[in-house]
Amino acid sequence: MNIVVLCKQVPDTYSERRLREDGALDRDASDAVLDEINERAVEEALQLKEAHGGAVTVVSMGPDRATEAIRKALSMGADTAVHLSDEALAGSDAVGTARALAGAIGTVADVDLVLAGNEASDGRSAAVPAMVAEVLGLPALTHARQLTVEGSTVTVRRETDDGVVTLTAELPAVVSVGEKINEPRYPSFKGIMAAKKKKVATLSLADVGVDAAQVGAAGALSSVVGATPKPPKAAGEKVVDDGAGGSKVAAYLVAQKLI
Ligand SMILES: Cc1cc2nc3c(=O)[nH]c(=O)nc-3n(C[C@H](O)[C@H](O)[C@H](O)COP(=O)(O)OP(=O)(O)OC[C@H]3O[C@@H](n4cnc5c(N)ncnc54)[C@H](O)[C@@H]3O)c2cc1C
């Protein structure tokens, strides 16, 4: 089966993340990594490939340095990649991102399954996978904590606030995965070396047949009207162990409603 994995490069959550004055992400302010949830999506794709055969293609939309995140996915074992990069994409909202990604997916032959994370750790819309499915006219199965493919059918166990429900759809389909889906593998040395030689097609909007007016700041249906820096962390409470330290910590946790 041919699987596409939507992989986004995001600011490392361990670094200080900042917005620019225009409300867009200041990408130069922090280290950039492959979003962890996308590592899980890649892992799921690799397990499906190991069970059913086929190929795994990474699709990523982002600036030049997104190639680092793409190489990470390739070093885990993905076969090939499409990097959608175009100046006109700057300022895209979730709808624009979905339109652009759907165009890029359209350049991959005979796609059976599109995998994504359920929420990116920077934008946090948790909307792009369902929007991609809408643009492509495919079923969307979101928030999967377990995924199986049998014949031409995909089944997921979907996690909701009210419990877990089972969803089934005919392939091709779009599935977004949650953090309980699996533990992603570490790239091996051999995988890292092999990734350097794997094919990454860098495409523009024109290459994927998407109108520049439908994406980027020009095509955005939503806008950032304000942003407030998060308040500095307050100093913690220090418990001195005078023999009753354990009880004091327990009382603190009870007061915070943590236990
Ligand atoms: C008006 C406006 C302007 C913005 N301007 C900018 C800007 O200038 N620069 C900027 O960085 N952000 C900008 N953003 C945020 C940006 O639009 C979102 O990050 C983007 O639309 C994707 O949404 P998300 O990250 O919330 O995705 P989610 O829906 O939370 O992501 C879920 C999954 O979708 C897939 N996915 C999402 N984005 C990508 C991608 N790019 N490539 C591959 N897979 C992907 C991944 O699998 C991901 O795990 C802007 C947002 C708005 C509303």
Side-chain angles (χ1 to χ4, degrees):
M1 64 188 306
N2 291 327
I3 307 168
V4 163
V5 189
L6 299 179
C7 285
K8 186 179 187 189
Q9 189 185 48
V10 296
D12 193 338
T13 47
Y14 287 108
S15 16
E16 184 63 32
R17 292 177 289 176
R18 279 204 295 269
L19 294 178
R20 296 193 318 236
E21 273 184 13
D22 62 1
L25 183 66
D26 184 351
R27 289 184 182 272
D28 297 327
S30 45
D31 296 335
V33 294
L34 172 61
D35 207 351
E36 196 203 318
I37 196 74
N38 294 156
E39 290 184 23
R40 295 179 198 273
V42 172
E43 174 63 38
E44 202 59 23
L46 295 174
Q47 290 184 19
L48 286 169
K49 180 188 156 180
E50 282 153 12
H52 301 278
V56 176
T57 304
V58 171
V59 170
S60 188
M61 163 186 145
D64 286 352
R65 75 168 175 172
T67 49
E68 295 159 20
I70 291 170
R71 290 283 169 209
K72 170 91 186 269
L74 293 174
S75 66
M76 288 174 71
D79 299 286
T80 180
V82 174
H83 178 195
L84 181 61
S85 179
D86 196 303
E87 289 289 313
L89 286 164
S92 294
D93 63 4
V95 174
T97 302
R99 285 176 178 142
L101 289 173
I105 293 165
T107 66
V108 183
D110 304 323
V111 176
D112 298 300
L113 183 64
V114 178
L115 287 177
N118 61 12
E119 179 180 289
S121 61
D122 57 351
R124 300 195 64 188
S125 314
V128 168
M131 289 176 172
V132 167
E134 178 70 19
V135 178
L136 294 174
L138 299 179
L141 295 78
T142 57
H143 295 261
R145 60 177 289 169
Q146 195 180 36
L147 188 167
T148 47
V149 171
E150 273 172 29
S152 63
T153 305
V154 58
T155 302
V156 308
R157 281 170 59 76
R158 179 180 200 266
E159 196 159 26
T160 73
D161 288 344
D162 300 321
V164 177
V165 293
T166 302
L167 301 175
T168 300
E170 283 296 301
L171 296 172
V174 178
V175 175
S176 71
V177 304
E179 60 188 21
K180 291 187 189 140
I181 191 93
N182 58 41
E183 280 305 317
R185 67 193 68 187
Y186 287 105
S188 63
F189 179 70
K190 199 174 151 203
I192 293 168
M193 297 311 287
K196 293 180 198 287
K197 293 187 188 142
K198 289 181 179 172
K199 190 175 161 227
V200 179
T202 303
L203 302 181
S204 67
L205 280 169
D207 293 330
V208 304
V210 173
D211 180 0
Q214 296 282 303
V215 299
L221 302 172
S222 51
S223 62
V224 178
V225 292
T228 314
K230 71 177 176 198
K233 265 192 184 163
E237 195 170 313
K238 199 169 179 179
V239 175
V240 179
D241 187 12
D242 54 5
S247 305
K248 286 182 185 170
V249 170
Y252 175 81
L253 293 174
V254 170
Q256 300 296 317
K257 295 195 170 70
L258 291 171
I259 58 172

